[in-house]
Amino acid sequence: MRLENKIALVTGGGQGIGKEIAKTLAKQGAFVLINYLDLGNNQEIAQKTQQEIEELGGKCALISANVASYQETEEMFKIIKKEYGRLDILINNAGITKDGLMLRMKESDFDQVIDVNLKGTWNCMKHATKLMMKQKYGRIVSLSSVVGVMGNAGQVNYAASKSGIIGMTMSLAREVGSRGITVNAVAPGFIQTAMTDVLSDEIKDQMKSQIPLGSFGNVQDIADAVLFLASDEAKYITGQTLHVDGGMAM
Ligand code: NAP
């Protein structure tokens, strides 16, 4: 139990990589707050994740907020402070893509991706930092991407958001290190999830040919890296981006 008595928030924790992160942190004893965007059947999906965690003996609760909204994230953190009194671990996982080549990309495609991925991460960092500075303890881990390091045709918006997360991570790490707070990022390569399932077989084969380890990663590979950075084993690591990509970016 590496995270006993810790309170953790995983944004977009209802499905995909976020779900595996939530399960992994709960297995290590953390009380996990699973954030989800209250849209369509997302609540139902997040409830299933909650049920799975509880069946494994883990502790968790659901908390809805659109991370792109400053007001909604502020409200979410007010609830966290009131109900739990503290937040030890913040995992900025929520993210979207709106791909397209520059000539075809709409302004709204750029704005929406920046709003969720970059501003959403900033919103949660901003409110979490306030709580964590008072506690003199905190672990912040944000999901960047190999695309934020290498670029990718058709993803200028997504790459900008994911490079931005790396810059924010280093800057915040410098600001809050003296308060016992570490700030790191994990940059996944191609991971088998709904986000990558939509790619054609041709693109998948092309991607695999660029991966020294020769295959896509899985959600547990990412969750294990996040767990490490959220745990006390990583207490002397801050401002770093851990690449979990089969060797794609080096
Ligand atoms: P996913 O299956 O699409 O999950 C994304 C999550 O983000 C969903 O749980 C979604 O919540 C949540 N979300 C989206 N907009 C939100 C908002 N405005 N407020 C709150 N939550 C919101 O994607 P994934 O593959 O697991 O990706 C997770 C993270 O890893 C993302 O940041 C992504 O950029 C990054 N990443 C993924 C890969 C990959 O290969 N899959 C590679 C590199 C980086 P709802 O379920 O409530 O909609």
Side-chain angles (χ1 to χ4, degrees), residues 7 79-87 131 135:
I7 309 278
I79 294 169
I80 293 172
K81 193 178 173 201
K82 187 164 168 268
E83 301 279 323
Y84 307 97
R86 58 187 290 119
L87 183 72
L131 274 179
Q135 298 163 190

Side-chain angles (χ1 to χ4, degrees), residues 144-152 159 162-163 166 187-188 241 243 245 248-250:
S144 176
S145 168
V146 66
V147 170
V149 182
M150 298 174 71
N152 193 22
K162 294 297 178 179
S163 299
I166 294 174
T241 297
H243 297 254
D245 61 6
M248 267 185 97
M250 63 166 116

Side-chain angles (χ1 to χ4, degrees), residues 12 15 17 37 42 66-67 93-95 144 158 162 188-189 191 193 196:
Q15 57 183 312
I17 293 174
L37 177 65
N42 285 349
N66 175 359
V67 296
N93 164 78
S144 176
Y158 185 74
K162 294 297 178 179
I191 307 301
T193 63
T196 48

Side-chain angles (χ1 to χ4, degrees), residues 111-162:
D111 289 346
Q112 281 171 31
V113 168
I114 295 295
D115 282 351
V116 175
N117 298 7
L118 188 60
K119 177 85 186 303
T121 298
W122 181 85
N123 283 335
C124 292
M125 279 178 167
K126 163 101 181 151
H127 300 302
T129 300
K130 207 170 155 193
L131 274 179
M132 289 173 175
M133 281 181 78
K134 281 197 190 123
Q135 298 163 190
K136 294 198 168 54
Y137 181 89
R139 297 273 180 272
I140 299 176
V141 184
S142 303
L143 274 287
S144 176
S145 168
V146 66
V147 170
V149 182
M150 298 174 71
N152 193 22
Q155 291 197 307
V156 291
N157 50 358
Y158 185 74
S161 73
K162 294 297 178 179

Side-chain angles (χ1 to χ4, degrees), residues 71-83:
Q71 284 78 13
E72 287 191 33
T73 49
E74 188 173 39
E75 199 48 46
M76 173 167 70
F77 277 85
K78 274 187 191 157
I79 294 169
I80 293 172
K81 193 178 173 201
K82 187 164 168 268
E83 301 279 323

